[in-house]
Amino acid sequence: MQYIALIYSDETFDDGPIEELLAEYQEFTDKVTAAGVMRGGDALELTSTATTVRMRDGELLLSDGPFAETKEQLGGYYLFECVDLDEAVYWAKQIPSAKYGSIEVRPIMPTDG
Amino acid sequence: MASYSVNWRDLLNDESPQIIAYLSRQCGGDIASAEDALQEATLQAYEHWAENGLPEKPAAWLCHVARCRLLDKLRQDSRDGHRFIDGELLASAVDPSGFISEQDIAAESLENNDQRLALIFCCCHPAIDETSQLALLLQLIGGLNYREIASQLLLSADVVQRRLSRAKKKIKEAKIPFEVPEQEQLYSRQGHVRSMIYLMFNHSMEMTAEQAEPLLRQSIDLLLLLRKTVDSPESMALHALLMSVMARRAVGTYEFGLALSEQDRSQWDTVAIRQADSLLQQALMLQQLGPLQLQAAIHLLHSQSPSWEETDWQQIVSLYDLLIKMQPSALPRLNKYMAQFYSGADAQEIMDKVNGLTPELENYSAFYGAKMILLLELADFSLAETAYQHALELETAPRQRELLTQNWQKAQLNRKDLHLSQ
């Protein structure tokens, strides 16, 4: 069973040196990899680089910025292989940003193959 | 046509929670499919039992037939590519010896494999919002329909239906574990499960006797199951509290609706009250005092007092003091003030204290009910009537409304007596 952990936090919030945070993330990534849980994951550039795409009546509509202005922004994700929600939560709570941001855990919809 | 008689309501009320828990667990937490399968089995039983008479073990019969229906559905879904099957059900079905004496297996599984606690831990998982948790319990354990749940939770039946189906979908699709958690998790989650059982019990006291009975029995059953898995002084105290509440009901009748001062205490089950008391004493000896132990102690002081007049109000006041230290909220303070009033404190003085709770309690019926009693004592009848109206407006439980009206009418009679004697 796969779960995605979407990492939301306030990207304007400056929580000390970036090197420390990156080291924490590296440590966490190593840990989930060693546990055989890791199926993928990436960090995203800031929402100031985002472009929102919509097709309306066959016309392409582009707008600058994320599709919704929120207090916390999507900054990255992990993809985990877990037996159930409790295990997914067990890993998600250890994601460094969980201490000040929010992690949304969602099951991946199963498809054939 | 064979003749048979069965009380369907009792049979389903008593057995459904266990069958649904068992089947849901077997198919990896798909509660809705387990319910559908049981419903189909029940329809089949109507016909089959009328033809062939009542089976020896009706619950096992239902469970077995429901299990076959569920299996059919899972196979169909898997052929249609709707789902991956990872439940225990299919694994057991491919075992050729699994179908030899299926009803016996079903009977044994039900008896030795009670999954109701797993069902409760699953439904009361912190990933489900609390109102939906309670709605799930009232439906799956209490056998209430949407409308009955709606009236308990002050929601519309549509909203209840949506919340229930959303919660069941989440349990299935997010794979909320359908099991009693282990060690660390068990300890951290047992308190919440216990309070949900208590909440379910409290709701049952506001229902009609017919609706309430299965829920009362199931609440106590579930608490026992919890205690067998992980016991604690607080669970023991809740058990004592529930026993004491049940013991106060007159034999064969339903008297929750009567004020404590009006009940015929000779009808109370004194043996059960003594048992409850000894259980509470055991809990207290473990010396980990908690709010439920204090509440049970207060309850038992009432249950053991020979009459309303002889109630040990001093002791009750000091127990409330301890409770307020642990739970500094307004409701125990209101109860403490009223206990002081009953122990002979000046009504005006108590009235002033009670008025001090207005900001916290102005939406509580019990607050106005208490004010009504105090104002009657102070002979301020017009303000008492206002308080009575307020209390009635805020109270939604029919039995509590009845109780309020009884109190008010009694006060009116007393007033008439007063006029006559003057």
Side-chain angles (χ1 to χ4, degrees), chain A residues 22-35:
Chain A
L22 287 177
E24 278 183 54
Y25 263 99
Q26 189 56 54
E27 196 184 325
F28 174 74
T29 304
D30 291 346
K31 197 168 162 185
V32 273
T33 308

Side-chain angles (χ1 to χ4, degrees), chain B residues 7 10 21 23 45 49 69 88 103 110 149 166 198 222 232 236 247 252 283 286 293 333 379 394 406 418:
Chain B
N7 183 333
D10 281 356
L23 294 175
W49 297 359
R69 292 288 147 275
E88 292 163 29
Q103 275 193 56
L110 272 186
I149 298 169
R166 182 185 171 275
Y198 190 17
L222 283 165
S232 72
M236 292 162 80
L286 296 169
Q293 290 167 71
R333 274 190 284 155
L394 290 167
Q406 270 174 24
L418 202 66

Side-chain angles (χ1 to χ4, degrees), chain B residues 300-313:
Chain B
L300 276 158
L301 276 175
H302 282 299
S303 297
Q304 290 175 311
S305 173
S307 69
W308 171 256
E309 291 73 25
E310 289 163 88
T311 308
D312 187 349
W313 293 111

